[in-house]
Amino acid sequence: MSGDAEVEAEAAAKARQQTAAIDAYPSDASIPSLPESPDGYTDNAFMHTISDIAELRLHDAFESAPSLSLDDLDDYQQMHLGDVDTSLMSRAKLKALVRKQVTPKKIVFRDKLAFVAGTVGAMLSAYWLGWSPMTFYRIYTAQAFVLFTLRWALYRIKKWHYYLFDFCYVANVLLLLHLWVFPHSAFLHKVTFAYAAGPLAWSVVAFRNSLVFHSLDKTTSLFLHWFPACVAWSERWHPDVHVREYNKKSSAAMAEWHEASLLDLMVLPMIPYLVWALLYYMKIFVLSSSRIQQRGYDTLFNYTTANPKSGVSKFVKQFPLRSQPLAYMALHVTLTGMTFAVCKVWWNFYMAHTIFLLSILCISAWNGASYYFEVFAHRYVQTVGVPSKPLKKKQ
């Protein structure tokens, strides 16, 4: 059995033991009054058991299985009980509520609907990009509004909302501002191109984004990184008709829009990026550092340094504890600058740019296939408890 399979088996066994622990409690027993933590959560063993079943947070997953990453946690493993005051409920009602939230039939039905929605969305996006690449930014905008709103709401509940300060979200916001507020800005055209074809596109590889249609979290992560790259491709090679008409008024404007030097694609994008880096460092590591630690909030820094086998973790952990955030940001700046340098190739050569995007998509599809066949198939049966149906032999 591989290391990943062992981790999955242990997680499934833990879930079954926790469910058995709930069943062992008398149905008519009441929950005793216990002191609450500073965050208002009742602190006792039974409530921790409920919490483990209802919502597997990221830091809990790393404590029990350090090899797991954020992308390895499924939506059905992250269920929560909402704003229910469980301290006022009998154990019988609480058990019924938990079972109502995590019944296998509901999980399977929801995942089937999500898979259909994800598949249809991917087909529609691919068709739109081929049919009308100059207007692809419209479907990107509509999907961004829905997916980012849902992500903000869900991440706020799961205490992951500090991820939303990361550069990928800032780059998407800047791209939307360029598309709808400053569509004729050649400066933003080149800057957002460098962001989308640079660090965002390469993040699909770095974070192992997967083409997994049934998972809202994985779909949103892939959308966050790959769709802006498609928008940058369409805007570079198939600009919107209004942009073309505007640029025809002036030969200088036309040249500024279509020509880009290494300075334009590497140095100029660094200016707003460094502004973000400074603000991010102050927010995450200085102003909100104590708040993040006290309330157990997750950040990208915690995520990338949690696995001791990762390259980022190995580099950062070489430095003293106080210097690790600064080392992390220095590495972030260096890698981002390297991706900017390659963007000159994508800007100049249509075929190279197209092959690059298709390669990124193939990598995400491979990650999704690996996830489905190596991880998800075993976990779904073991954790959810839905046995696979035997195939009928043909007569």
Side-chain angles (χ1 to χ4, degrees):
M1 183 181 293
S2 64
D4 290 342
E6 292 178 357
V7 170
E8 301 305 327
E10 292 176 3
K14 180 181 178 182
R16 288 193 294 270
Q17 292 173 0
Q18 291 168 338
T19 303
I22 296 178
D23 293 333
Y25 272 90
S27 298
D28 56 349
S30 60
I31 298 178
S33 299
L34 293 174
E36 294 187 343
S37 65
D39 288 335
Y41 295 104
T42 303
D43 186 17
N44 61 59
F46 181 77
M47 292 310 302
H48 281 304
T49 298
I50 296 297
S51 177
D52 285 340
I53 295 176
E55 182 178 358
L56 295 179
R57 292 196 174 93
L58 184 61
H59 59 274
D60 295 327
F62 276 126
E63 289 178 359
S64 60
S67 62
L68 291 179
S69 66
L70 179 62
D71 286 340
D72 290 327
L73 299 178
D74 284 302
D75 292 336
Y76 71 86
Q77 289 182 293
Q78 299 164 353
M79 292 183 179
H80 57 87
L81 299 178
D83 298 326
V84 178
D85 187 359
T86 54
S87 63
L88 301 179
M89 303 176 66
S90 68
R91 293 188 184 280
K93 291 182 179 181
L94 189 55
K95 287 193 294 183
L97 178 60
V98 172
R99 289 201 177 95
K100 185 178 180 181
Q101 297 290 333
V102 298
T103 55
K105 287 186 178 180
K106 283 192 173 185
I107 294 171
V108 173
F109 180 72
R110 188 201 66 182
D111 287 348
K112 286 180 179 179
L113 287 180
F115 186 91
V116 171
T119 304
V120 172
M123 294 174 62
L124 177 62
S125 300
Y127 173 79
W128 197 312
L129 185 60
W131 166 64
S132 180
M134 66 286 299
T135 61
F136 181 75
Y137 68 92
R138 297 176 184 175
I139 191 173
Y140 158 76
T141 302
Q143 292 182 341
F145 177 77
V146 174
L147 292 176
F148 292 161
T149 301
L150 288 174
R151 169 152 289 193
W152 178 86
L154 293 173
Y155 273 29
R156 188 68 181 86
I157 293 172
K158 299 172 184 177
K159 296 187 177 182
W160 296 353
H161 51 286
Y162 275 83
Y163 282 101
L164 305 181
F165 288 101
D166 296 327
F167 180 70
C168 297
Y169 297 94
V170 175
N172 274 267
V173 171
L174 191 62
L175 177 59
L176 290 169
L177 285 175
H178 165 53
L179 294 172
W180 294 100
V181 182
F182 308 104
H184 304 134
S185 171
F187 169 77
L188 285 178
H189 171 50
K190 297 169 186 177
V191 167
T192 55
F193 179 91
Y195 292 163
L200 265 64
W202 286 105
S203 291
V204 175
V205 180
F207 294 107
R208 296 185 297 111
N209 290 158
S210 307
L211 193 60
V212 178
F213 294 123
H214 84 277
S215 172
L216 175 63
D217 190 66
K218 294 180 186 296
T219 299
T220 306
S221 295
L222 182 60
F223 174 89
L224 172 72
H225 298 131
W226 194 68
F227 265 60
C230 294
V231 174
W233 177 88
S234 63
E235 192 181 29
R236 171 69 182 99
W237 305 109
H238 306 279
D240 185 68
V241 60
H242 299 292
V243 174
R244 293 200 303 267
E245 293 296 328
Y246 177 85
N247 290 333
K248 286 180 180 179
K249 299 178 180 179
S250 169
S251 58
M254 180 73 73
E256 187 180 8
W257 183 270
H258 290 285
E259 297 177 4
S261 64
L262 191 60
L263 174 70
D264 294 330
L265 297 175
M266 186 174 180
V267 178
L268 294 182
M270 268 292 180
I271 298 174
Y273 167 78
L274 290 176
V275 172
W276 164 84
L278 178 61
L279 295 176
Y280 181 84
Y281 181 87
M282 294 299 298
K283 172 63 177 176
I284 301 299
F285 300 112
V286 180
L287 300 178
S288 300
S289 178
S290 299
R291 181 185 180 91
I292 290 172
Q293 294 179 4
Q294 292 173 0
R295 302 200 174 189
Y297 293 150
D298 287 305
T299 65
L300 188 62
F301 172 78
N302 296 333
Y303 168 66
T304 54
T305 58
N307 186 355
K309 296 181 180 179
S310 70
V312 174
S313 179
K314 291 179 180 179
F315 173 81
V316 172
K317 294 298 177 64
Q318 296 181 54
F319 296 86
L321 186 62
R322 293 184 59 182
S323 302
Q324 288 180 5
L326 192 60
Y328 168 80
M329 293 304 301
L331 181 63
H332 198 291
V333 172
T334 302
L335 295 177
T336 300
M338 292 171 61
T339 64
F340 288 162
V342 186
C343 287
K344 178 62 175 173
V345 179
W346 314 143
W347 182 276
N348 287 345
F349 302 101
Y350 170 83
M351 189 57 65
H353 191 190
T354 304
I355 293 175
F356 170 67
L357 287 185
L358 291 176
S359 300
I360 295 296
L361 179 61
C362 289
I363 291 173
S364 69
W366 178 263
N367 291 338
S370 300
Y371 173 80
Y372 271 124
F373 292 105
E374 296 177 7
V375 177
F376 179 77
H378 301 287
R379 178 190 298 161
Y380 209 79
V381 174
Q382 294 174 348
T383 305
V384 181
V386 181
S388 57
K389 296 182 180 179
L391 297 175
K392 295 182 180 180
K393 295 183 178 180
K394 294 183 179 181
Q395 300 295 333

